[in-house]
Amino acid sequence: MRASDAEREAAVERLKTASVEGRLTLGELAERTEAAYSAITRAELDVILSDLPDTGDRSLSVPDGGAKRSRRWFVALLGDTKRRGKWRVDREIAIAAVMGDVVLDLREAEVRGDGVDITATALMGNVKIIVPDGVNVDLDGLAIMGEKRLEVEAAEHGTSLPYVRVKAYALMGDIKVIGDSRADRAKRSWAVWREQWEQLRRELFGDLPPAYGGRPHIAHPPSHHLPHTPHPPQPPSPPPPR
C-alpha cells in the first residue's frame, strides 16, 4: 500500500517527539526524516518507526517546561575546547573563542526541543560547528576582519527538520557551520530499522541509491586484452661516413 503525504508527515512528527524525549540523536533524526520523506509505501514508514513507541496524538512538547535555564558555555582562551559524541542540548548554547579554537559537534547530540540556538563569538580565534546535512541552519551576525561561513547541504524543499540558529560575531577570527559531508564522517551506530529498511527497499525497488548505503549496479564490460603486436623491424642504420 502506497503512503500518502499525510502519513509521511505523521511519521516525521513521531520522529520529532522521539527526539525531544531523548530517543534519537540529531543525526539519527535527520537520517530517519529523510528516509520518511522518501518512503513510497506504508511498510517503509512502519520500519522507520519500528523501534519507537506510539505517541498517539500527543503534540510535540519540550520536557521540563519550568523557568528558562541559563546558557551552556563553551570557552577557549588561548587553548582548544571540543565537544563531541553523545550529549544533551536542552538550553541555549554560548561559545567564546579568544585566541583559541572551539569545535562543537551536534551530530550525536540529543536535542530536547525543536532546534538549537547558539551565540558564537570569535576574537582572534576559530569556531567550528558540525551538524548533520539536511538540518535547517540560519547563520546570522557580523564578521570584521574575519569570516562567517555556512557549508551545509540543504534539505529538500518542504521537509520538516530541526533548525540550528547561529548568531555569529567574529573579530579577526572565523566562525563556520559545516555539514557531515565536509567533516570527518560520524560513525553510524548499527540500527535494526536501517537494515530492515534497506532490505525492504531492495525487495521492492532493487538496488538502493548511494545516499542510504546501497551501491548502484554498474555493469562493466568485459576487458579485452589485445595481443601484443611487436614493432616492425627497422632498417639498419647506414655506416658512419669515413
Side-chain angles (χ1 to χ4, degrees), residues 119-148:
T119 300
T121 303
L123 177 59
M124 300 178 66
N126 301 288
V127 174
K128 181 165 67 174
I129 302 169
I130 307 174
V131 302
D133 283 310
V135 171
N136 298 313
V137 180
D138 180 16
L139 177 61
D140 194 9
L142 178 67
I144 301 175
M145 298 181 67
E147 182 182 22
K148 61 181 181 69

Side-chain angles (χ1 to χ4, degrees), residues 17-74:
T17 301
S19 174
V20 171
E21 295 173 343
R23 303 181 192 275
L24 298 175
T25 65
L26 185 60
E28 291 170 335
L29 174 60
E31 180 186 24
R32 294 200 193 200
T33 299
E34 184 179 1
Y37 278 120
S38 69
I40 298 176
T41 65
R42 290 181 180 177
E44 292 171 78
L45 295 177
D46 291 340
V47 170
I48 294 169
L49 304 171
S50 60
D51 59 346
L52 300 175
D54 187 358
T55 56
D57 296 329
R58 184 173 52 179
S59 59
L60 184 66
S61 59
V62 180
D64 302 327
K68 186 176 180 179
R69 304 181 62 181
S70 60
R71 291 179 174 180
R72 181 170 183 176
W73 281 88
F74 295 91

